[in-house]
Amino acid sequence: MPVRQMKESSEQHLVIKPHLQNPMNPAKKAPKASQNGKGPPPLESHSQTSPHPKNKGRRRGRGGRKSDQGDVLMRPSCRPCTVTSPVNGNVENGYISSDIDMGFPTSSKSLSFARRPGYGQVGTKCVVKANHFFAELPDKDLNQYDVTITPEVSSRTVNRSIIGELVRLYKESDLGMRLPAYDGRKSLYTAGQLPFAWREFKIKLVDDEDGVNGPKREREYKVVIKFVARANLHHLGQFLAGKRADAPQEALQILDIVLRELSTKRYCPIGRSFFSPDIRTPQRLGEGLESWCGFYQSIRPTQMGLSLNIDMASAAFIEPLPVVEFVGQLLGKDVLSRQLSDADRIKIKKALRGVKVEVTHRGSVRRKYRVSGLTSQPTRELVFPVDENSTMKSVVEYFQEMYGFTIQHTHLPCLQVGNQKKANYLPMEACKIVEGQRYTKRLNEKQITALLKVTCQRPRDRENDILRTMQQNAYDQDPYAKEFGIKISEKLASVEARILPAPWLKYHESGKEKNCLPQVGQWNMMNKKMINGMTVSRWACINFSRSVQDSVARTFCNELAQMCQVSGMEFNPEPVIPIYNAKPEQVEKALKHVYHVSSNKTKGKELELLLAILPDNNGSLYGDLKRICETDLGLISQCCLTKHVFKITKQYLANVSLKINVKMGGRNTVLLDAVSCRIPLVSDIPTIIFGADVTHPENGEDSSPSIAAVVASQDWPEVTKYAGLVCAQAHRQELIQDLYKTWHDPVRGTVSGGMIRDLLISFRKATGQKPLRIIFYRDGVSEGQFYQVLLYELDAIRKACASLEPNYQPPVTFIVVQKRHHTRLFANNHRDRSSTDKSGNILPGTVVDSKICHPTEFDFYLCSHAGIQGTSRPAHYHVLWDENNFTADGIQSLTNNLCYTYARCTRSVSVVPPAYYAHLAAFRARFYMEPDMQENGSTGDGNASHSSKGTRASGECGVKPLPALKENVKRVMFYC
């Protein structure tokens, strides 16, 4: 398919103008630095390595550059290059740094995403079903009105009640029979115009919380409705047909609100999902929580037109129990007969703060309150002033006299409700938790397990539940859908897919099996040896588990050493010192003791590996051990849980040996196509593949920093080993702050640094080549942040390259990887065993780039892994920027093949490994934060970290930097 030309009016580009117009130094032919004494086979030519002759003179890649810019950069040559010394400048870290000021500009603030270059053809064609339902575009005008309610209301629920009452009273008169859709805030939408452009209404609302018998409070609201704009559906139609590049967000938003209107009234809306205890019986999760089932709903623009994406969802809710019963479940003990400890009180206060309760001691009057705290005294000791003269009355007396309610459990504290200035006391036994409150704090292990049990559904069951949800929602009967003329299909979309072939993997020549072709996304290490097995001569073991005797620990270490040898490593069967037993609370002392005693024993030669046996439930021990080893001692460690030490399996030992080998700097396997130089747009010229991710603190932690991690391949052409760097940055900041940075040094002047620059330098040192192509996989970005992330991070990549050498601008392909989406793919026929894996999921390698994908942009869904349990979630890859001119087949095959190179297991994984590794590295770095920082967040001078290239924090935002990774740790895959 040809690249569609965008209209002039909507064409936007990123413009970068390096001031120096000299092209990159011409590359000289050079032999590839040999690996293990063997040079790779000669490079072959490829169909994708150079642009087609007719493309000459056009801009270099998609999603890019204005043609009148002229191409300041030469197309990189198809041979590995060596650096030639410049006349003016000096060689630093293998790059030519110039004394000339680059004057490097930031990107202009307009760019367009890469267009789809065509559709993939590689693989076995098949049909899958997707949880997308075709939605017919209405032919009515959509009108937007502004809504102002006075006095202002913060609750969407109350706002909806006010507008609901207005529609009930005035639909047939003032509203001209129109049924509007309302977003709960400031906007009202209608199909066709209302009979007025501006009107004021007075609406009286009765407070339902005041029960049935007593006098009800009535509130009056002034509602002003004012015409704002008409949404252009023609624009939406053109966008869906691929004739326009910019999505009309307003029209999509209106249609989304219209289709959510009825469900919002029926169910409990949370984000884009709806929950109800009636969809399926709630399941108890423990400690006063239960799981509610629900569904996710979103309208999306796709190639087949508008599509309604429906998926099943589950969430934890607070069980609507009497408060005393809730507290009993929370503490796991009988609270009616015994006093509460201070720890109990704190736990109750944490759990109930912000929770809505209703009173039960006033018959039908069920007033609702939000809990603000817990009294420090028991109910029997509580007194409060009842009049201006400060006449004091006890809570027990007050409830008896006022409501005839006798408080039974006076040893329990009272709930404090309302604000702190005017505290209201409510006895626990007179309150019940209001139904429908989502639990937003962290779940414990047992609760997570229980919730996963509920959410884990086989593909066929999930598909049936989705279809049942569609029938229950009955969009054909929905008055709002009818009013706006939206018709929804009740059938799952049938989509053409392809199953990409698994790549051949290369193992060491000395093994029985030198090459291996994975079957259904998996293989094993039997008869194979690691392609680059490392040597471990000096190792030690610390046993932190009281239940593991010395003899058991010794047997385990022997078997592990044997497995490492069988797998292709050289592993000394004897540790430097005997196995050392230590208490978990003395982790630092034990690590330093073993480190120093071992060094003395080996006459100053450093320990290469530390094995650690940990209790199954080890609290902070694992994190403390990793922090001390990687940022203080410079030790590579491998932790093993007690349960695996007692129950030794070959599979477990084989997996641990894979991890040990890459932590020592080895490679387990490589793609056969990589070593025989047959990967298009990777094998032809030195190519570096980056993975990047940002992990944010959990809900409820409002000041902990976010952690960014970037990994980059350090070998070419194999692209299997990845070095990683991490840094802390401002709370919930998604843009990676430390990709490129400059700061002032009193001696050296302006100094450049940052994670991209450091990784480019380490690639040069490791391979003897400088990268002439960059492929950047970015994880963890939501659709709303695509533009912002691309603009900022592509600019940082450009600046990092330019800071190393004038006019050094290797072409960049920037791909966002998403796992947190709701598209699911199902086999067309669940009974056909040849079209599914053992778990009933679609086969690994299944790729979809049509119908349910973006109308014009370059995206695809890829299920690269075999399912284990539940329904597989395909990864969604969106190529935002592509200066390397990948074809659809090129990027899809590369991504799928890379998924077979993940170092920790002999399975293909669900997300491309560089992105996976970045996630692991960011997760690991959470343990590096000081204990108080892990809990509460911390501030400090970020600039203190510039000297440490491993772990840094962005200086501007006042986030305390992470401790630096030791040099020997940084070079290897320590995060595996």
Side-chain angles (χ1 to χ4, degrees), residues 707-710 724-728 755 921-922 925 928 950-952 962 965 974:
I707 289 181
V710 180
L725 299 176
V726 286
C727 74
M755 297 197 278
Y928 299 163
T951 51
R952 284 189 296 250
L962 298 172
L965 281 172
F974 66 92

Side-chain angles (χ1 to χ4, degrees), residues 365-663:
V365 178
R366 288 288 182 119
R367 286 205 66 182
K368 295 183 176 74
Y369 299 91
R370 202 174 284 283
V371 177
S372 58
L374 203 63
T375 60
S376 49
Q377 298 146 290
T379 303
R380 58 171 169 253
E381 292 173 20
L382 288 172
V383 291
F384 64 99
V386 284
D387 54 28
E388 286 78 35
N389 305 327
S390 295
T391 311
M392 304 304 276
K393 183 168 276 194
S394 77
V395 168
V396 176
E397 278 173 0
Y398 177 81
F399 273 81
Q400 183 66 59
E401 289 168 20
M402 194 73 182
Y403 307 111
F405 181 80
T406 308
I407 300 173
Q408 304 289 324
H409 311 293
T410 57
H411 68 287
L412 292 174
C414 273
L415 302 179
Q416 281 179 294
V417 297
N419 58 30
Q420 292 295 333
K421 288 176 189 167
K422 182 175 180 270
N424 285 320
Y425 300 138
L426 289 176
M428 282 187 184
E429 64 204 80
C431 298
K432 180 177 181 287
I433 289 167
V434 173
E435 188 179 65
Q437 296 180 80
R438 188 179 175 200
Y439 183 77
T440 54
K441 300 183 185 87
R442 186 179 179 173
L443 298 174
N444 63 33
E445 290 294 323
K446 276 185 183 169
Q447 291 166 337
I448 291 169
T449 306
L451 187 60
L452 285 175
K453 227 178 226 173
V454 178
T455 54
C456 186
Q457 283 182 296
R458 284 190 168 276
R460 184 185 292 189
D461 299 335
R462 195 181 195 102
E463 184 185 321
N464 290 336
D465 275 3
I466 288 168
L467 288 167
R468 201 173 300 122
T469 300
M470 284 299 290
Q471 285 164 359
Q472 281 172 351
N473 289 353
Y475 295 100
D476 55 333
Q477 302 298 312
D478 182 338
Y480 294 94
K482 275 184 178 173
E483 171 87 8
F484 284 78
I486 305 170
K487 294 188 181 76
I488 310 281
S489 161
E490 287 200 347
K491 283 185 180 168
L492 290 155
S494 272
V495 187
E496 284 184 4
R498 288 166 292 114
I499 300 162
L500 300 178
W504 278 90
L505 301 175
K506 177 93 184 88
Y507 281 92
H508 199 273
E509 290 294 317
S510 63
K512 273 190 198 168
E513 288 184 36
K514 297 159 184 54
N515 299 331
C516 161
L517 183 64
Q519 300 299 314
V520 197
Q522 46 194 324
W523 64 103
N524 60 46
M525 283 295 290
M526 283 168 72
N527 300 324
K528 300 176 196 71
K529 291 195 183 290
M530 298 154 174
I531 188 142
N532 297 120
M534 298 304 284
T535 300
V536 177
S537 311
R538 299 178 300 280
W539 62 277
C541 175
I542 303 184
N543 177 12
F544 288 102
S545 179
R546 244 189 310 185
S547 58
V548 176
Q549 277 92 28
D550 266 13
S551 58
V552 176
R554 268 200 305 276
T555 304
F556 175 76
C557 289
N558 286 341
E559 295 222 15
L560 181 58
Q562 233 171 319
M563 179 58 83
C564 287
Q565 284 171 331
V566 169
S567 302
M569 293 178 70
E570 284 186 33
F571 204 104
N572 184 345
E574 289 302 317
V576 171
I577 58 169
I579 292 170
Y580 183 77
N581 295 306
K583 292 177 179 171
E585 56 274 19
Q586 293 178 344
V587 56
E588 188 161 4
K589 189 178 164 192
L591 288 169
K592 289 186 173 169
H593 172 79
V594 167
Y595 180 75
H596 294 304
V597 171
S598 302
S599 289
N600 294 341
K601 193 90 181 278
T602 55
K603 300 187 173 62
K605 286 183 182 172
E606 295 211 330
L607 206 56
E608 292 164 328
L609 175 69
L610 176 79
L611 296 177
I613 297 170
L614 310 186
D616 293 333
N617 296 317
N618 56 69
S620 66
L621 174 60
Y622 176 82
D624 291 340
L625 185 144
K626 291 295 181 188
R627 174 175 52 80
I628 296 159
C629 284
E630 288 157 9
T631 67
D632 186 1
L633 301 175
L635 252 184
I636 299 299
S637 57
Q638 177 58 54
C639 296
C640 304
L641 291 177
T642 298
K643 61 183 178 187
H644 298 305
V645 172
F646 279 125
K647 191 185 172 192
I648 304 173
T649 65
K650 288 266 187 286
Q651 181 65 63
Y652 174 73
L653 293 175
N655 282 350
V656 174
S657 66
L658 293 177
K659 291 172 66 159
I660 290 172
N661 190 47
V662 293
K663 287 179 185 180

Side-chain angles (χ1 to χ4, degrees), residues 321-379:
L321 298 167
V323 170
V324 172
E325 203 180 313
F326 173 83
V327 168
Q329 276 205 30
L330 179 73
L331 302 176
K333 61 186 184 188
D334 174 25
V335 292
L336 300 181
S337 55
R338 59 174 79 174
Q339 297 292 328
L340 296 179
S341 67
D342 286 349
D344 291 339
R345 238 178 252 280
I346 290 165
K347 195 171 181 183
I348 296 166
K349 190 175 178 178
K350 266 188 178 175
L352 285 176
R353 188 184 281 149
V355 172
K356 261 190 175 179
V357 294
E358 58 184 11
V359 295
T360 56
H361 64 287
R362 295 175 63 184
S364 60
V365 178
R366 288 288 182 119
R367 286 205 66 182
K368 295 183 176 74
Y369 299 91
R370 202 174 284 283
V371 177
S372 58
L374 203 63
T375 60
S376 49
Q377 298 146 290
T379 303

